[in-house]
mmCIF file of all heavy atoms in Angstrom:
data_model
loop_
_atom_site.group_PDB
_atom_site.id
_atom_site.type_symbol
_atom_site.label_atom_id
_atom_site.label_comp_id
_atom_site.label_asym_id
_atom_site.label_seq_id
_atom_site.Cartn_x
_atom_site.Cartn_y
_atom_site.Cartn_z
ATOM 1 N N LYS G 886 -50.163 28.467 50.720
ATOM 2 C CA LYS G 886 -49.694 29.437 51.702
ATOM 3 C C LYS G 886 -48.242 29.801 51.413
ATOM 4 O O LYS G 886 -47.424 28.908 51.181
ATOM 5 C CB LYS G 886 -49.856 28.882 53.115
ATOM 6 C CG LYS G 886 -49.352 29.808 54.208
ATOM 7 C CD LYS G 886 -48.009 29.396 54.733
ATOM 8 C CE LYS G 886 -47.390 30.409 55.658
ATOM 9 N NZ LYS G 886 -46.123 29.951 56.234
ATOM 10 N N PHE G 887 -47.935 31.086 51.430
ATOM 11 C CA PHE G 887 -46.567 31.546 51.235
ATOM 12 C C PHE G 887 -46.064 32.192 52.516
ATOM 13 O O PHE G 887 -46.697 33.114 53.037
ATOM 14 C CB PHE G 887 -46.486 32.534 50.062
ATOM 15 C CG PHE G 887 -46.779 31.876 48.742
ATOM 16 C CD1 PHE G 887 -48.071 31.837 48.234
ATOM 17 C CD2 PHE G 887 -45.764 31.243 48.041
ATOM 18 C CE1 PHE G 887 -48.346 31.191 47.033
ATOM 19 C CE2 PHE G 887 -46.023 30.602 46.841
ATOM 20 C CZ PHE G 887 -47.320 30.564 46.340
ATOM 21 N N GLY G 888 -44.939 31.694 53.016
ATOM 22 C CA GLY G 888 -44.339 32.235 54.234
ATOM 23 C C GLY G 888 -43.581 33.530 53.954
ATOM 24 O O GLY G 888 -43.446 33.954 52.799
ATOM 25 N N GLY G 889 -43.068 34.123 55.020
ATOM 26 C CA GLY G 889 -42.426 35.436 54.926
ATOM 27 C C GLY G 889 -41.262 35.494 53.954
ATOM 28 O O GLY G 889 -41.129 36.465 53.193
ATOM 29 N N VAL G 919 -51.128 34.403 52.880
ATOM 30 C CA VAL G 919 -49.782 34.960 52.850
ATOM 31 C C VAL G 919 -49.371 35.491 54.225
ATOM 32 O O VAL G 919 -50.200 36.000 54.981
ATOM 33 C CB VAL G 919 -49.691 36.039 51.737
ATOM 34 C CG1 VAL G 919 -50.461 37.291 52.100
ATOM 35 C CG2 VAL G 919 -48.249 36.388 51.425
ATOM 36 N N SER G 920 -48.083 35.315 54.539
ATOM 37 C CA SER G 920 -47.492 35.896 55.749
ATOM 38 C C SER G 920 -46.999 37.298 55.448
ATOM 39 O O SER G 920 -46.855 37.680 54.282
ATOM 40 C CB SER G 920 -46.263 35.095 56.189
ATOM 41 O OG SER G 920 -46.593 33.822 56.604
ATOM 42 N N ALA G 921 -46.642 38.006 56.487
ATOM 43 C CA ALA G 921 -45.976 39.296 56.322
ATOM 44 C C ALA G 921 -44.616 39.069 55.663
ATOM 45 O O ALA G 921 -44.032 37.987 55.781
ATOM 46 C CB ALA G 921 -45.785 39.947 57.682
ATOM 47 N N LEU G 922 -44.100 40.080 54.957
ATOM 48 C CA LEU G 922 -42.742 39.965 54.405
ATOM 49 C C LEU G 922 -41.796 39.596 55.547
ATOM 50 O O LEU G 922 -41.960 40.076 56.664
ATOM 51 C CB LEU G 922 -42.264 41.287 53.791
ATOM 52 C CG LEU G 922 -43.148 42.089 52.842
ATOM 53 C CD1 LEU G 922 -42.294 43.083 52.078
ATOM 54 C CD2 LEU G 922 -43.938 41.232 51.906
ATOM 55 N N GLY G 924 -39.409 39.250 58.444
ATOM 56 C CA GLY G 924 -38.872 40.248 59.378
ATOM 57 C C GLY G 924 -39.848 41.347 59.777
ATOM 58 O O GLY G 924 -39.614 42.058 60.758
ATOM 59 N N VAL G 925 -40.950 41.493 59.019
ATOM 60 C CA VAL G 925 -41.834 42.635 59.287
ATOM 61 C C VAL G 925 -42.589 42.469 60.615
ATOM 62 O O VAL G 925 -42.720 43.427 61.382
ATOM 63 C CB VAL G 925 -42.790 42.883 58.098
ATOM 64 C CG1 VAL G 925 -43.928 43.810 58.473
ATOM 65 C CG2 VAL G 925 -42.001 43.458 56.922
ATOM 66 N N THR G 926 -43.054 41.265 60.899
ATOM 67 C CA THR G 926 -43.772 41.065 62.174
ATOM 68 C C THR G 926 -42.860 41.411 63.353
ATOM 69 O O THR G 926 -43.273 42.116 64.282
ATOM 70 C CB THR G 926 -44.276 39.612 62.284
ATOM 71 O OG1 THR G 926 -45.073 39.327 61.130
ATOM 72 C CG2 THR G 926 -45.124 39.409 63.536
ATOM 73 N N ASP G 927 -41.612 40.955 63.285
ATOM 74 C CA ASP G 927 -40.655 41.293 64.358
ATOM 75 C C ASP G 927 -40.481 42.805 64.478
ATOM 76 O O ASP G 927 -40.406 43.340 65.583
ATOM 77 C CB ASP G 927 -39.273 40.675 64.068
ATOM 78 C CG ASP G 927 -39.278 39.161 64.251
ATOM 79 O OD1 ASP G 927 -40.152 38.650 64.974
ATOM 80 O OD2 ASP G 927 -38.403 38.494 63.661
ATOM 81 N N ILE G 930 -43.498 44.458 66.124
ATOM 82 C CA ILE G 930 -43.477 44.217 67.574
ATOM 83 C C ILE G 930 -42.436 45.122 68.230
ATOM 84 O O ILE G 930 -42.703 45.761 69.252
ATOM 85 C CB ILE G 930 -43.194 42.729 67.883
ATOM 86 C CG1 ILE G 930 -44.352 41.854 67.379
ATOM 87 C CG2 ILE G 930 -42.978 42.512 69.386
ATOM 88 C CD1 ILE G 930 -44.084 40.353 67.439
ATOM 89 N N VAL G 1005 -49.581 44.417 65.032
ATOM 90 C CA VAL G 1005 -48.894 43.435 64.174
ATOM 91 C C VAL G 1005 -49.738 43.016 62.973
ATOM 92 O O VAL G 1005 -49.207 42.498 62.002
ATOM 93 C CB VAL G 1005 -48.411 42.153 64.917
ATOM 94 C CG1 VAL G 1005 -47.377 42.492 65.962
ATOM 95 C CG2 VAL G 1005 -49.541 41.360 65.490
ATOM 96 N N GLY G 1008 -48.680 43.766 59.117
ATOM 97 C CA GLY G 1008 -47.715 43.031 58.292
ATOM 98 C C GLY G 1008 -48.413 42.212 57.216
ATOM 99 O O GLY G 1008 -48.076 42.290 56.025
ATOM 100 N N GLU G 1009 -49.403 41.438 57.629
ATOM 101 C CA GLU G 1009 -50.112 40.574 56.685
ATOM 102 C C GLU G 1009 -51.058 41.390 55.796
ATOM 103 O O GLU G 1009 -51.265 41.062 54.628
ATOM 104 C CB GLU G 1009 -50.893 39.491 57.438
ATOM 105 C CG GLU G 1009 -50.116 38.207 57.733
ATOM 106 C CD GLU G 1009 -49.000 38.347 58.771
ATOM 107 O OE1 GLU G 1009 -48.946 39.375 59.474
ATOM 108 O OE2 GLU G 1009 -48.165 37.417 58.871
ATOM 109 N N GLY G 1074 -52.570 35.750 56.418
ATOM 110 C CA GLY G 1074 -52.371 34.702 57.422
ATOM 111 C C GLY G 1074 -52.343 35.317 58.805
ATOM 112 O O GLY G 1074 -52.400 36.551 58.958
ATOM 113 N N PHE G 1075 -52.309 34.457 59.821
ATOM 114 C CA PHE G 1075 -51.924 34.866 61.175
ATOM 115 C C PHE G 1075 -52.984 35.647 61.950
ATOM 116 O O PHE G 1075 -53.036 35.586 63.164
ATOM 117 C CB PHE G 1075 -50.621 35.687 61.059
ATOM 118 C CG PHE G 1075 -49.997 36.236 62.293
ATOM 119 C CD1 PHE G 1075 -49.792 35.449 63.427
ATOM 120 C CD2 PHE G 1075 -49.556 37.573 62.328
ATOM 121 C CE1 PHE G 1075 -49.152 35.981 64.548
ATOM 122 C CE2 PHE G 1075 -48.921 38.090 63.443
ATOM 123 C CZ PHE G 1075 -48.725 37.298 64.556
ATOM 124 N N ILE G 1076 -53.865 36.386 61.232
ATOM 125 C CA ILE G 1076 -54.764 37.254 61.989
ATOM 126 C C ILE G 1076 -56.212 36.783 61.924
ATOM 127 O O ILE G 1076 -56.599 35.996 61.063
ATOM 128 C CB ILE G 1076 -54.652 38.739 61.536
ATOM 129 C CG1 ILE G 1076 -55.149 38.946 60.107
ATOM 130 C CG2 ILE G 1076 -53.209 39.216 61.633
ATOM 131 C CD1 ILE G 1076 -55.079 40.406 59.659
ATOM 132 N N GLY G 1088 -51.001 33.456 67.175
ATOM 133 C CA GLY G 1088 -49.704 32.989 67.685
ATOM 134 C C GLY G 1088 -48.666 33.072 66.591
ATOM 135 O O GLY G 1088 -48.997 32.955 65.394
ATOM 136 N N ARG G 1089 -47.388 33.266 66.981
ATOM 137 C CA ARG G 1089 -46.323 33.431 65.991
ATOM 138 C C ARG G 1089 -46.281 32.240 65.037
ATOM 139 O O ARG G 1089 -46.482 31.095 65.444
ATOM 140 C CB ARG G 1089 -44.961 33.602 66.677
ATOM 141 C CG ARG G 1089 -44.788 34.894 67.457
ATOM 142 C CD ARG G 1089 -45.066 36.130 66.612
ATOM 143 N NE ARG G 1089 -44.279 36.257 65.409
ATOM 144 C CZ ARG G 1089 -43.105 36.867 65.323
ATOM 145 N NH1 ARG G 1089 -42.578 37.413 66.378
ATOM 146 N NH2 ARG G 1089 -42.474 36.951 64.178
ATOM 147 N N GLY G 1090 -46.020 32.544 63.797
ATOM 148 C CA GLY G 1090 -45.994 31.492 62.786
ATOM 149 C C GLY G 1090 -47.394 31.003 62.421
ATOM 150 O O GLY G 1090 -47.553 29.954 61.803
ATOM 151 N N GLY G 1091 -48.424 31.772 62.788
ATOM 152 C CA GLY G 1091 -49.806 31.305 62.664
ATOM 153 C C GLY G 1091 -50.369 31.224 61.256
ATOM 154 O O GLY G 1091 -51.486 30.731 61.069
ATOM 155 N N SER G 1092 -49.615 31.651 60.251
ATOM 156 C CA SER G 1092 -50.186 31.624 58.893
ATOM 157 C C SER G 1092 -50.440 30.207 58.377
ATOM 158 O O SER G 1092 -51.381 29.980 57.610
ATOM 159 C CB SER G 1092 -49.262 32.337 57.908
ATOM 160 O OG SER G 1092 -49.110 33.667 58.279
ATOM 161 N N ASP G 1093 -49.605 29.266 58.803
ATOM 162 C CA ASP G 1093 -49.853 27.871 58.408
ATOM 163 C C ASP G 1093 -51.211 27.421 58.937
ATOM 164 O O ASP G 1093 -51.970 26.712 58.271
ATOM 165 C CB ASP G 1093 -48.780 26.941 59.003
ATOM 166 C CG ASP G 1093 -47.398 27.214 58.438
ATOM 167 O OD1 ASP G 1093 -47.307 27.702 57.304
ATOM 168 O OD2 ASP G 1093 -46.418 26.939 59.164
ATOM 169 N N TYR G 1094 -51.465 27.842 60.158
ATOM 170 C CA TYR G 1094 -52.730 27.494 60.810
ATOM 171 C C TYR G 1094 -53.897 28.088 60.022
ATOM 172 O O TYR G 1094 -54.890 27.406 59.738
ATOM 173 C CB TYR G 1094 -52.679 28.051 62.234
ATOM 174 C CG TYR G 1094 -53.738 27.571 63.199
ATOM 175 C CD1 TYR G 1094 -54.429 26.379 63.011
ATOM 176 C CD2 TYR G 1094 -54.032 28.322 64.338
ATOM 177 C CE1 TYR G 1094 -55.383 25.964 63.928
ATOM 178 C CE2 TYR G 1094 -54.978 27.916 65.265
ATOM 179 C CZ TYR G 1094 -55.659 26.736 65.050
ATOM 180 O OH TYR G 1094 -56.602 26.332 65.965
HETATM 181 N N1 LIG H 408 -46.038 36.877 60.277
HETATM 182 C C1 LIG H 408 -46.344 36.039 61.386
HETATM 183 C C2 LIG H 408 -45.090 35.714 62.174
HETATM 184 O O1 LIG H 408 -44.005 36.126 61.798
HETATM 185 C C3 LIG H 408 -47.090 34.811 60.993
HETATM 186 C C4 LIG H 408 -46.329 33.832 60.098
HETATM 187 O O2 LIG H 408 -45.291 34.157 59.555
HETATM 188 O O3 LIG H 408 -46.829 32.716 59.925
HETATM 189 O O4 LIG H 408 -45.185 35.079 63.180
#
Side-chain angles (χ1 to χ4, degrees):
K886 178 258 171 176
F887 293 91
V919 71
S920 294
L922 313 197
V925 166
T926 305
D927 288 338
I930 295 171
V1005 297
E1009 272 70 13
F1075 180 48
I1076 66 179
R1089 292 305 303 270
S1092 299
D1093 295 333
Y1094 193 22

